[in-house]
Amino acid sequence: MSGFFDAALVESIVRALIPVLFAALGALLCDRAGVFNIALEGQLLIGCFGAVAGSYFTGSAVVGVIAAVLAASVFSLILSYGSVTRKAEPIVLGVAMNILAVGITSFLIDAVFHVRGVFQDPAIAGLHHFAIPGLVRIPWIGPALFNLTILGYLGLLLVPATSIVLFRTPLGMRLRGVGERPLAAETLGVSPASYQYGAVTASGVLCGLAGAQLALGNVVQFAENMSAGRGWIAVVAVMLAKDKPYATLGAALLFGSTEAIGFRLQGEGLAVQITDAAPYVVTLIALLFAARSFRRQRAAATVA
Amino acid sequence: MLAVEMRHITKRFPGVLADDDVSFDVRQGEIHALMGENGAGKSVLMSILSGLYRPDSGEILVDGRPVKFASPLDAIGAGIGMVFQSFKLFPSLTVAENVVFREEPTRHGLYDKRAAAAIVTQIAERYGLAVDPAAVTGSLPVGVLQRVEIIKALYRKAKVLILDEPTAVLTPQETDRLFEVLRSLQADGHTIILITHKMREVMAISERVTVLRDGRVVARLNTAETTGEEITRLMTGRDIDLEQSPPKSAPGAPVLEVSGLTCRQAGQKPAVDNVSLTVRAGEIVGIAGVAGNGQSELAEAIAGLRAADAGTVRIAGTDVTAGSVKVRRAAGLSYIPEDRHAVGTAPDADVASNLAMGHHRRPPLLQHGLLKRARLADFAQRLVDRFGIKVAGTGVLARTLSGGNLQKIVVARELDYASPLLIAEQPTRGVDIGAIAAIHKEIADYRDGGGGVLLISAELSEILSLSGRILVMFEGRIVADLEAAATNEAELGLLMAGGELAGAGKEAQS
Ligand SMILES: Nc1ncnc2c1ncn2[C@@H]1O[C@H](COP(=O)(O)OP(=O)(O)OP(=O)(O)O)[C@@H](O)[C@H]1O
Ligand SMILES: [Mg+2]
């Protein structure tokens, strides 16, 4: 076990972190706008499928990414139309969308690629890793942080970007206002619906990117239900982080680490069932702790 | 010259005719009072003028030109700004952010905090509206929130300012300050429409009065040519006497004994500081104090909504210091909380359910573990009739009720428990003069029926006319214990401000 915590582990932590981070930033925006989005898991899975299909048919990873973004954001319209326009309960919609996503992708993998379970093909172009000269040679963090796919860098940069947009631009201020007091925003001529549509669509775009990173970066394949709970974990991550971008990065890091360490322990001979369960156990524990402060937050928000 | 003219406005909600062919006009530069009982249609009429609701029929003219408002934005574009009965602010944003929301000053595409603060400070200084631009609004007292709302409207260049019951949540001192602000706005050419239930205020500040009754205009008067009695009669159709009869019998056994109660708050003076008091059966004890001196915290701590750091609370002889709200209620507590929206009612439940809350735990509403729907409806209807609550039916959602009617729901429910102890916090906030008289009578009857009441109110006149004994709270402590008959508003006002009575120092520190 002496070499258990090594550079390769740090690298796999970052790799596991990126998709969760994208999805979590999407959840954060939705939450801030007042739409509780638990459809991330489904959006992510649709993104994975779009990425693989786009890349396979054109031989271009870039087209794969675009296809992923389009597919996931179109899919997210179900949530915005349902919960914003039709005023349906977003939780019910989200659950339905997650089930729908598994169904659609399982059906399509069979109908389009004529395989079951996993689709792997040399014709699927994966995302390149770009090493940043010099920096990549920093021990431990160099290979982990400076040898990422474009999406990897983008994901990390989106954390400060989200923070700036949210807290320092009029756009972010209005988004926060809409989520907190939609009626007040409306009296000032800010339409909650358009901001909520925007936030949900942004979460679609981000889940598309997450899916592309997962299916064209972390691995190069599509597997049934390959999102494997990451969308759920993203939901919990933002709850833990109380909708703050940097804290969301921290929470995503916690879950990325659990996944990577679990994976490593598998290599050490620990039962797969246990290591697979690890992220969910961490999720449960985190939720138990978050629930209290979450409730307090809600109570404070309604009283004020 | 008319600043605003509303002609033949009619607005209907399912089952309610809120405004019925109302014509209303306001002259340039005047302060105009809009009066009427709870549910008369004042807020709806002003919501139409501010673009929040669209009238079913009728037209609006601003400066003589016809206008059509599709949203509040159109109204503010025409120079009409409204401070709503329930504020429309974002608790997590700062004062400056709330003021400039959607009209933010920017620098290089980013929100310009400093410019926003400067704007707020400038408007604030010009009209004497003291606020801290950097404060987060969620933590501010209502008096300040109201100033923020006014600054918000002024920043948007409102020439006509509508204030919906602005003084309902203010202390007398804050009200005086608000009126100074309104006068300086008037001097600056603004037109002000003021909704209020307080006759004294109307007489003090308005030039003209329009009276609504059941959605119709019943009178347009020049304030100088009328009296409070006349307006009351126009609003209610009868004379109202706010004098209360003295208690019929001497106080009996204690129903509330509080001893050494202390609630600390991080980094500040204790909100409640070593408070001891006793309320006996058949007496009303009033607590006077400037808002924010611990009265609300004291009530919450007695009701079990706030943890106490030290001290004991006994209700009807039972020590409930460690008990939950449920335990305290079972021991004999009923409670009219200050905040009827967040604490007192469930806005998305119907009137019947709101009236039944708490009563649902015992017969006759509960039988064999099940609620009896028919009895619940009867029960609700009985309270609606007894307290004159104006609703289309007991099945309508609480959130559609006018402010005063919502308050009556809470009062009706709590009084109907007939439990030994009632804590009444601002029981008549926002209710019309007829209802004030009715609620006061109910509280007095409750006392005469052997109940003990702890009355917390910002209205000194209310405290003086109802209470037998008056405690004055200042900075969390009880600083005076007086016989109501032996004191007056001036003396109380002095004590509330932390002063001492000349030659009467012995009365302080009980
Ligand atoms: N959104 C709504 N839906 C249904 N009914 C409503 C709605 N808003 C107001 N009403 C009804 O319209 C009537 C007039 O209400 P309004 O709020 O104008 O009264 P008000 O004169 O302001 O009374 P108060 O002094 O109690 O505030 C009331 O019967 C109220 O229940
Ligand atoms: Mg009203």
Side-chain angles (χ1 to χ4, degrees):
Chain A
M1 288 283 284
S2 61
F4 179 79
F5 197 79
D6 56 15
L9 182 67
V10 180
E11 215 181 313
S12 58
I13 288 175
V14 174
R15 208 177 309 140
L17 152 83
I18 301 292
V20 174
L21 180 62
F22 273 121
L25 289 174
L28 185 154
L29 292 177
C30 290
D31 235 30
R32 285 283 186 178
V35 182
F36 189 43
N37 182 354
I38 60 159
L40 300 164
E41 178 75 7
Q43 295 177 351
L44 184 55
L45 188 61
I46 296 279
C48 292
F49 187 87
V52 166
S55 174
Y56 172 74
F57 286 117
T58 64
S60 153
V62 174
V63 176
V65 173
I66 294 171
V69 164
L70 283 178
S73 36
V74 169
F75 184 67
S76 76
L77 287 176
I78 300 177
L79 180 63
S80 33
Y81 177 74
S83 74
V84 181
T85 308
R86 312 290 317 186
K87 310 256 183 260
E89 178 56 56
I91 299 193
V92 177
L93 276 169
V95 169
M97 286 170 70
N98 290 334
I99 297 171
L100 178 66
V102 173
I104 294 180
T105 51
S106 304
F107 167 72
L108 287 178
I109 190 176
D110 190 6
V112 178
F113 305 121
H114 312 294
V115 293
R116 271 172 201 281
V118 181
F119 176 61
Q120 221 168 0
D121 195 293
I124 309 172
L127 289 163
H128 285 292
H129 288 246
F130 294 92
I132 299 182
L135 292 179
V136 76
R137 253 180 258 118
I138 303 173
W140 294 85
I141 62 161
L145 285 182
F146 300 110
N147 187 23
L148 299 175
T149 63
I150 290 282
L151 295 186
Y153 295 119
L154 179 64
L156 293 177
L157 287 177
L158 275 178
V159 176
T162 307
S163 180
I164 289 173
V165 169
L166 209 50
F167 297 111
R168 300 201 44 205
T169 66
L171 182 76
M173 197 158 107
R174 294 177 196 179
L175 184 82
R176 287 183 286 141
V178 160
E180 194 173 37
R181 287 283 188 279
L183 275 179
E186 211 164 334
T187 60
L188 296 173
V190 170
S191 141
S194 43
Y195 279 78
Q196 288 169 338
Y197 259 88
V200 174
T201 305
S203 84
V205 170
L206 289 164
C207 283
L209 297 173
Q213 171 64 28
L214 203 56
L216 300 177
N218 291 18
V219 294
V220 183
Q221 64 174 43
F222 181 82
E224 248 175 54
N225 206 7
M226 72 184 290
S227 45
R230 287 180 183 82
W232 290 108
I233 283 172
V235 172
V236 180
V238 285
M239 274 190 196
L240 269 185
K242 307 217 173 79
D243 290 342
K244 300 202 171 69
Y246 289 102
T248 299
L249 175 63
L253 187 65
L254 173 70
F255 293 115
S257 311
T258 322
E259 189 185 320
I261 293 170
F263 218 67
R264 174 61 68 90
L265 288 174
Q266 244 174 63
E268 306 270 339
L270 204 67
V272 182
Q273 288 83 349
I274 295 180
T275 59
D276 277 359
Y280 304 108
V281 174
V282 172
T283 306
L284 274 177
I285 294 172
L287 263 184
L288 287 178
F289 278 99
R292 284 192 58 193
S293 58
F294 194 60
R295 219 175 298 133
R296 217 175 300 136
Q297 218 175 302
R298 282 263 165 108
T302 44
V303 169
Chain B
M1 175 75 184
L2 293 179
V4 169
E5 194 179 357
M6 300 178 83
R7 288 185 185 157
H8 306 294
I9 300 284
T10 295
K11 176 74 183 175
R12 200 179 281 281
F13 289 108
V16 195
L17 187 54
D19 286 305
D20 183 7
D21 192 27
V22 172
S23 293
F24 173 71
D25 61 68
V26 186
R27 292 181 196 139
Q28 197 84 54
E30 77 169 335
I31 297 184
H32 193 114
L34 182 58
M35 301 201 68
E37 294 190 283
N38 297 131
K42 306 178 297 287
S43 294
V44 169
L45 188 69
M46 289 302 108
S47 297
I48 289 171
L49 183 55
S50 67
L52 195 64
Y53 292 152
R54 268 153 292 296
D56 298 334
S57 62
E59 59 176 348
I60 302 174
L61 288 85
V62 175
D63 293 331
R65 276 185 301 277
V67 289
K68 279 240 175 330
F69 298 150
S71 74
L73 203 59
D74 293 346
I76 198 74
I80 296 174
M82 175 150 173
V83 176
F84 291 91
Q85 206 166 359
S86 51
F87 297 147
K88 305 269 185 276
L89 296 169
F90 307 101
S92 76
L93 301 188
T94 64
V95 167
E97 287 170 340
N98 266 291
V99 168
V100 301
F101 197 87
R102 199 181 178 275
E103 316 282 333
E104 308 87 353
T106 56
R107 219 165 145 244
H108 312 303
L110 296 183
Y111 166 63
D112 190 344
K113 211 176 184 171
R114 230 179 292 162
I119 290 166
V120 172
T121 310
Q122 194 223 331
I123 300 174
E125 280 175 359
R126 180 153 169 204
Y127 299 106
L129 294 150
V131 291
D132 169 11
V136 174
T137 41
S139 63
L140 297 174
V142 281
V144 181
L145 297 182
Q146 190 166 68
R147 282 176 239 150
V148 177
E149 285 281 21
I150 295 175
I151 295 174
K152 200 167 101 183
L154 295 176
Y155 172 60
R156 281 150 227 267
K157 306 251 177 311
K159 295 296 293 170
V160 177
L161 200 60
I162 307 166
L163 296 138
D164 194 349
E165 293 191 35
T167 59
V169 293
L170 299 185
T171 60
Q173 291 84 347
E174 284 175 318
T175 300
D176 291 344
R177 272 177 74 185
L178 174 69
F179 282 1
E180 276 167 35
V181 169
L182 296 187
R183 288 205 182 89
S184 74
L185 283 167
Q186 184 183 29
D188 208 33
H190 289 85
T191 304
I192 289 155
I193 302 173
L194 181 72
I195 300 181
T196 178
H197 289 294
K198 302 181 190 171
M199 212 54 74
R200 170 166 37 94
E201 298 173 356
V202 174
M203 290 302 163
I205 199 166
S206 72
E207 271 109 49
R208 290 199 306 150
V209 187
T210 298
V211 182
L212 285 183
R213 184 164 161 200
D214 293 332
R216 292 169 161 272
V217 175
V218 291
R220 295 182 189 82
L221 310 160
N222 290 321
T223 312
E225 294 161 12
T226 184
T227 60
E229 288 74 35
E230 185 184 2
I231 297 178
T232 302
R233 220 172 305 120
L234 287 164
M235 288 197 301
T236 63
R238 62 201 161 97
D239 288 312
I240 303 281
D241 181 10
L242 281 179
E243 283 300 306
Q244 281 311 318
S245 55
K248 295 208 170 69
S249 53
V255 290
L256 172 69
E257 293 153 277
V258 175
S259 150
L261 196 69
T262 299
C263 298
R264 285 188 253 281
Q265 35 185 6
Q268 290 173 49
K269 283 192 194 155
V272 178
D273 192 356
N274 194 19
V275 166
S276 301
L277 60 88
T278 304
V279 177
R280 296 172 179 281
E283 78 167 339
I284 299 177
V285 176
I287 294 201
V290 176
N293 276 282
Q295 305 93 312
S296 308
E297 288 84 354
L298 174 64
E300 286 174 12
I302 297 173
L305 293 171
R306 172 182 290 266
D309 297 296
T312 57
V313 177
R314 297 171 76 85
I315 293 176
T318 319
D319 188 333
V320 295
T321 309
S324 64
V325 177
K326 195 174 164 188
V327 167
R328 290 169 199 234
R329 288 229 174 224
L333 164 81
S334 50
Y335 176 42
I336 299 169
E338 176 177 23
D339 186 339
R340 59 185 173 230
H341 295 285
V343 185
T345 55
D348 287 320
D350 60 18
V351 167
S353 307
N354 270 291
L355 283 168
M357 271 184 239
H359 296 282
H360 73 281
R361 287 212 187 94
R362 54 192 192 192
L365 299 189
L366 190 74
Q367 208 170 46
H368 312 304
L370 294 175
L371 280 176
K372 297 273 156 193
R373 293 302 305 187
R375 285 190 192 165
L376 201 136
D378 288 348
F379 171 81
Q381 193 57 51
R382 181 170 61 77
L383 288 187
V384 163
D385 294 342
R386 175 170 154 209
F387 287 86
I389 304 172
K390 223 169 259 175
V391 289
T394 55
V396 304
L397 298 187
R399 70 162 66 254
T400 67
L401 261 53
S402 77
N405 277 311
L406 199 60
Q407 180 69 20
K408 289 185 199 167
I409 297 233
V410 181
V411 172
R413 179 183 70 214
E414 297 300 324
L415 282 176
D416 201 64
Y417 282 117
S419 44
L421 171 66
L422 170 71
I423 298 179
E425 232 187 320
Q426 320 293 355
T428 57
R429 173 174 286 177
V431 308
D432 62 58
I433 182 160
I436 290 176
I439 290 175
H440 282 182
K441 182 167 182 312
E442 290 284 350
I443 291 180
D445 287 353
Y446 178 89
R447 171 199 65 197
D448 292 338
V453 182
L454 186 66
L455 171 71
I456 299 173
S457 173
E459 289 292 320
L460 280 184
S461 56
E462 177 163 277
I463 296 229
L464 278 164
S465 77
L466 278 176
S467 320
R469 242 171 357 109
I470 299 176
L471 309 178
V472 180
M473 252 186 120
F474 179 69
E475 294 191 341
R477 283 172 295 118
I478 304 272
V479 295
D481 183 343
L482 311 160
E483 288 299 319
T487 186
N488 55 44
E489 287 208 21
E491 197 174 283
L492 287 175
L494 182 65
L495 288 165
M496 284 162 60
E500 277 198 17
L501 298 183
K506 59 184 189 304
E507 274 181 306
Q509 297 297 351
S510 62

